Amino acid sequence: MKNWQLILAFFRVGMLGYGGGPSSIPLVQKEVVGKYKWMDEEEFANVLALGNSLPGPIATKMAGYIGYRVAGIVGMISAVLATIVPTIAILIILLTFLSSASDQAWVNGMTQAVVPVVGVMLAVLTYDFLKKSGDGLGWKLTIVLAIASLILIEWIGLHPGILITGLLVFALVKPTAKKQQEGES
């Protein structure tokens, strides 16, 4: 039953995740956290953060991990195939169609009209993450981290994976230093 649910969940993500990997993240969250409740918001945020720090497409990495976590190796294979096979089929069909109608204005308008919808989906996801971070870390630290991340990624050009990896390493090392101080006193 869980394999069938994994296939349905990631099939929907593969079919509706128009605009690339980041646009599919809110859809994955809706299926995994909202509908099937395979993980909570915090675990999903951790999977997303770690997935962003590793090379490769985010949607397939998340599908592989979540599928494995829910139903083992078979679940991993089911989730990854359900994510990529619809996209490949749609790509073949759309490119065949669009190449024959590429000179039509409505074709260009159709592809541009989807962009605002994807933007809203990402904004809602961003708001949810900031709210969760504010509840966990406090709003002052959340705002400082958000502004520092914006500066480092957008203006300095730091790769988000480096920033996420740095924060993960800091989170792993910091409690150890704190425990050592507690042990000394």
Side-chain angles (χ1 to χ4, degrees):
M1 184 66 175
K2 285 190 175 181
N3 275 320
W4 180 242
Q5 291 173 338
L6 279 167
I7 290 169
L8 282 177
F10 284 99
F11 177 79
R12 282 190 288 263
V13 170
M15 293 294 288
L16 301 173
Y18 186 86
S23 68
S24 67
I25 293 168
L27 299 172
V28 174
Q29 181 193 31
K30 188 173 183 106
E31 295 287 338
V32 170
V33 177
K35 184 168 185 172
Y36 293 109
K37 304 193 183 324
W38 289 321
M39 58 181 57
D40 60 20
E41 292 282 350
E42 183 176 347
E43 190 175 2
F44 183 81
N46 291 337
V47 170
L48 178 61
L50 192 57
N52 270 327
S53 67
L54 299 173
I58 187 69
T60 52
K61 287 184 287 190
M62 292 181 76
Y65 173 76
I66 294 166
Y68 180 78
R69 188 177 172 279
V70 171
I73 296 290
V74 175
M76 178 187 72
I77 293 168
S78 298
V80 170
L81 287 176
T83 300
I84 61 174
V85 169
T87 306
I88 293 169
I90 290 172
L91 184 66
I92 292 169
I93 292 167
L94 281 178
L95 285 178
T96 302
F97 171 74
L98 290 176
S99 66
S100 66
S102 62
D103 57 341
Q104 302 292 320
W106 66 269
V107 172
N108 290 328
M110 179 181 72
T111 56
Q112 291 172 355
V114 174
V115 174
V117 175
V118 173
V120 168
M121 290 168 54
L122 290 172
V124 168
L125 183 66
T126 301
Y127 173 75
D128 288 344
F129 280 164
L130 288 174
K131 185 177 174 196
K132 181 175 174 8
S133 178
D135 292 344
L137 294 174
W139 282 104
K140 188 176 179 181
L141 182 58
T142 296
I143 291 170
V144 168
L145 285 173
I147 291 171
S149 298
L150 178 67
I151 291 169
L152 290 169
I153 293 170
E154 289 298 319
W155 290 310
I156 295 178
L158 183 68
H159 190 279
I162 295 171
L163 181 60
I164 291 169
T165 302
L167 287 170
L168 290 173
V169 168
F170 177 75
L172 290 173
V173 172
K174 185 181 176 191
T176 303
K178 198 175 187 179
K179 285 180 185 175
Q180 286 176 347
Q181 290 175 349
E182 290 173 0
E184 292 172 0
S185 57

